[in-house]
Amino acid sequence: MINYVDRGAIASNGVNGSIRICDDRGICTSGSGIQGEFDLTNFQDGLLSSAFMVGLLAASPIFASLAKSHNPFRLIGVGLSVWTLAAAGCGSAFSFWFIAICRMLVGVGEASFISLAAPFIDDNAPVSQKTAWLAMFYMCIPTGVALGYVYGGFVGGHFHWRYAFWGEALLMLPFAVFGFVVKPLQLKGFCSVESKKALTSVETVSAVTDDSDASKLDGRILVGGDGVIADELNKTSKSVGIHNILNQFSPFAKDVKVLLVDQVYVINVFGYIAYNFVIGAYSYWGPKAGYNIYHMKSADMMFGGITIVCGILGTISGGLILDRMSATISNAFILLSGATFLGAIFCFVAFCLRSLYGFIVLFAVGELLVFATQAPVNYVCLHCVKPSLRPLSMAISTVSIHIFGDVPSSPLVGVLQDHVNNWRETALVLTSIFFLAAGIWFIVWTSLMMKVKVKSLQSQQPIGSHCLMEMGMRVLVKSKFKSTCCKKNFARSQM
């Protein structure tokens, strides 16, 4: 929640501010906030919203890999400590490049928990409420951004934009400390940290014994003896060290390859990228667009309020609906494509209206539908891979939707606005990308279900609708195991 409060605060008019403007007579109005103090263009301003991606991209795979051998909560403590220092640095920034570097380090903090939290929730949630629990977690994204609008608008308007970042750092500090003191957690699909330490100790003792035997040559022990032999031993040690590093990297590379050849996982992430492209630009440019299109007196409060209500209701509703439908990958794709398509229609029509009140009603309905996809899309990422790959699955998904989604969207929308100089046209072009996301999820679901039907016809056996749905999920995740009802139908067909 605090991480996304920061994301909303830097986009708020109170913190982000406005650029210095001069009229035809040469009379200039002073800028405000970050953009005014550092005299930033819209492109540079958009880069600040995307700078966190550098740290996220570099740190996410590292934290996901270290989770196999280190206590995940300790890793979270390290990451959140970096986040706290980076947020404080943003408040103390003296130039564009200094605050840009601090925004990069903020991404390190996000990377430490974004790949570990969802698997932890999935392991501990009741079977019938897994998606609802995930929805509660991902509800923090829209709610945090919305609270950030309100928080940044209030602090920036009544005090100074720097105080907003210092306040965030103080709020995050207890959670960073908590990561170091809480007891270790255990994720499914991994050996316990203690077991790994015991195994490492055994391997170390074995290696030392082998080295002791190998160190004897013609009755001499190679300790402080011949300088040539000592040099050869040092070279051998270096080669062994490099070999160990390569051995640690090899499993990571194999895991990444497994994910990249998984059809369901890759296409789900493609749809998520298109979806996040729009959401990212909405979150950053939304208040400024609303202020310019509809002349909202308090755009931060207005967009913040709509996003808080719709984010909470939409995200939780999406999780509850999927649980009620029976949480399967097939049903998740149905909900993803349907909710995104309907939400895109409402948002598109909202920006076409001239009336502020009409816009608020339609845009609120659109956001309600769009946010219903948060739990289903992450459910697919967690359940289309084996348990041991879930942290890496979430890490790659998060990195992908940022590096190809909301990271380029903010500066690109800034460039588009600089070119067309019309916020309504810019908003309509941006919103139309929602249709692309809905189309990706729908077309893939349709093609995969066609394969299920063809397979069921080839088997020439009566299969119930529930069993057919289970077959669909099995084809999607490429499972080798048959469900109970399918086994019974197969047994009947053999009698």
Side-chain angles (χ1 to χ4, degrees):
M1 178 76 76
I2 298 174
N3 178 70
Y4 280 93
V5 165
D6 171 75
R7 202 78 59 82
I10 196 174
S12 67
N13 287 324
V15 172
N16 187 263
S18 59
I19 197 170
R20 189 169 68 100
I21 300 175
C22 297
D23 58 21
D24 297 334
R25 294 174 296 177
I27 300 176
C28 299
T29 58
S30 60
S32 62
I34 296 174
Q35 191 173 20
E37 183 162 337
F38 298 122
D39 195 22
L40 307 180
T41 65
N42 284 334
F43 178 73
Q44 290 175 313
D45 194 20
L47 286 178
L48 286 183
S49 72
S50 308
F52 76 96
M53 187 60 218
V54 177
L56 184 68
L57 175 62
S60 287
I62 296 174
F63 281 116
S65 298
L66 290 177
K68 294 184 176 182
S69 57
H70 294 75
N71 176 9
F73 269 146
R74 300 295 181 270
L75 299 176
I76 291 175
V78 172
L80 294 186
S81 298
V82 175
W83 193 101
T84 302
L85 293 174
C90 289
S92 306
F94 54 83
S95 69
F96 166 72
W97 287 110
F98 185 88
I99 194 172
I101 292 173
C102 289
R103 299 307 300 171
M104 295 176 192
L105 293 175
V106 166
V108 175
E110 181 176 350
S112 66
F113 65 85
I114 199 67
S115 59
L116 302 174
F120 175 72
I121 294 171
D122 190 53
D123 286 346
N124 292 277
V127 176
S128 61
Q129 298 178 352
K130 284 184 180 294
T131 317
W133 280 41
L134 285 173
M136 291 292 292
F137 175 70
Y138 286 104
M139 176 193 71
C140 294
I141 296 178
T143 307
V145 171
L147 286 174
Y149 293 155
V150 177
Y151 168 76
F154 178 81
V155 176
H158 290 77
F159 302 100
H160 195 277
W161 64 266
R162 296 181 183 274
Y163 287 98
F165 293 112
W166 291 334
E168 292 168 5
L170 289 176
L171 289 173
M172 186 63 84
L173 182 60
F175 296 97
V177 174
F178 178 78
F180 289 107
V181 300
V182 72
K183 68 178 183 179
L185 62 85
Q186 179 63 35
L187 297 178
K188 292 180 180 178
F190 295 106
C191 296
S192 64
V193 177
E194 289 77 9
S195 299
K196 286 183 175 293
K197 288 181 178 179
L199 181 60
T200 303
S201 299
V202 172
E203 291 176 346
T204 303
V205 171
S206 177
V208 170
T209 303
D210 292 341
D211 290 342
S212 298
D213 293 338
S215 65
K216 297 180 181 180
L217 181 62
D218 295 333
R220 294 176 298 169
I221 300 178
L222 304 180
V223 178
D226 194 339
V228 176
I229 298 177
D231 291 339
E232 292 177 354
L233 182 59
N234 289 333
K235 292 179 181 179
T236 303
S237 300
K238 291 179 181 179
S239 64
V240 171
I242 296 174
H243 181 69
N244 290 335
I245 294 174
L246 293 176
N247 284 341
Q248 292 178 3
F249 179 76
S250 181
F252 171 76
K254 290 179 180 178
D255 289 345
V256 172
K257 182 178 179 181
V258 170
L259 291 177
L260 294 182
V261 298
D262 189 302
Q263 182 183 21
V264 177
Y265 177 77
V266 170
I267 299 178
N268 180 57
V269 172
F270 275 144
Y272 202 5
I273 288 171
Y275 167 90
N276 214 55
F277 188 95
V278 184
I279 294 296
Y282 271 1
S283 66
Y284 194 76
W285 294 113
K288 191 166 292 188
Y291 177 81
N292 285 275
I293 296 174
Y294 297 101
H295 306 290
M296 297 179 182
K297 294 182 179 179
S298 55
D300 290 336
M301 300 294 181
M302 182 69 70
F303 268 85
I306 293 174
T307 307
I308 287 175
V309 175
C310 296
I312 293 174
L313 294 179
T315 307
I316 294 179
S317 297
L320 293 174
I321 290 171
L322 184 56
D323 282 333
R324 183 63 61 89
M325 292 171 65
S326 178
T328 64
I329 292 181
S330 300
N331 285 339
F333 275 119
I334 294 173
L335 186 57
L336 284 171
S337 56
T340 306
F341 181 75
L342 292 176
I345 293 175
F346 278 96
C347 290
F348 192 89
V349 174
F351 280 111
C352 293
L353 298 180
R354 300 286 179 181
S355 168
L356 171 61
Y357 299 105
F359 165 80
I360 291 174
V361 172
L362 292 184
F363 188 73
V365 175
E367 281 206 325
L368 191 70
L369 291 165
V370 165
F371 283 126
T373 62
Q374 286 290 334
V377 72
N378 287 286
Y379 176 89
V380 174
C381 287
L382 285 171
H383 290 270
C384 69
V385 300
K386 60 184 181 179
S388 63
L389 290 179
R390 291 177 304 168
L392 185 60
S393 168
M394 297 306 299
I396 292 180
S397 171
T398 302
V399 169
S400 299
I401 64 174
H402 286 316
I403 197 171
F404 300 113
D406 57 4
V407 167
S409 70
S410 295
L412 287 177
V413 169
V415 171
L416 177 62
Q417 173 58 23
D418 286 339
H419 179 70
V420 302
N421 196 28
N422 186 313
W423 278 108
R424 190 185 302 274
E425 291 182 9
T426 300
L428 290 173
V429 171
L430 176 65
T431 303
S432 63
I433 299 176
F434 270 143
F435 293 105
L436 174 62
I440 291 173
W441 284 322
F442 178 75
I443 292 173
V444 174
W445 175 82
T446 303
S447 64
L448 291 175
M449 290 310 294
M450 287 296 295
K451 293 179 181 179
V452 174
K453 292 181 180 180
V454 170
K455 188 172 182 178
S456 66
L457 291 175
Q458 291 175 346
S459 65
Q460 295 181 353
Q461 56 186 8
I463 299 177
S465 60
H466 178 65
C467 183
L468 181 61
M469 189 62 70
E470 289 185 3
M471 285 181 62
M473 182 174 178
R474 221 172 39 251
V475 170
L476 290 172
V477 300
K478 301 180 181 178
S479 174
K480 297 180 181 179
F481 302 100
K482 293 185 177 180
S483 63
T484 304
C485 72
C486 294
K487 288 182 177 179
K488 291 180 178 179
N489 287 333
F490 179 76
R492 292 193 196 101
S493 65
Q494 299 299 315
M495 295 178 61

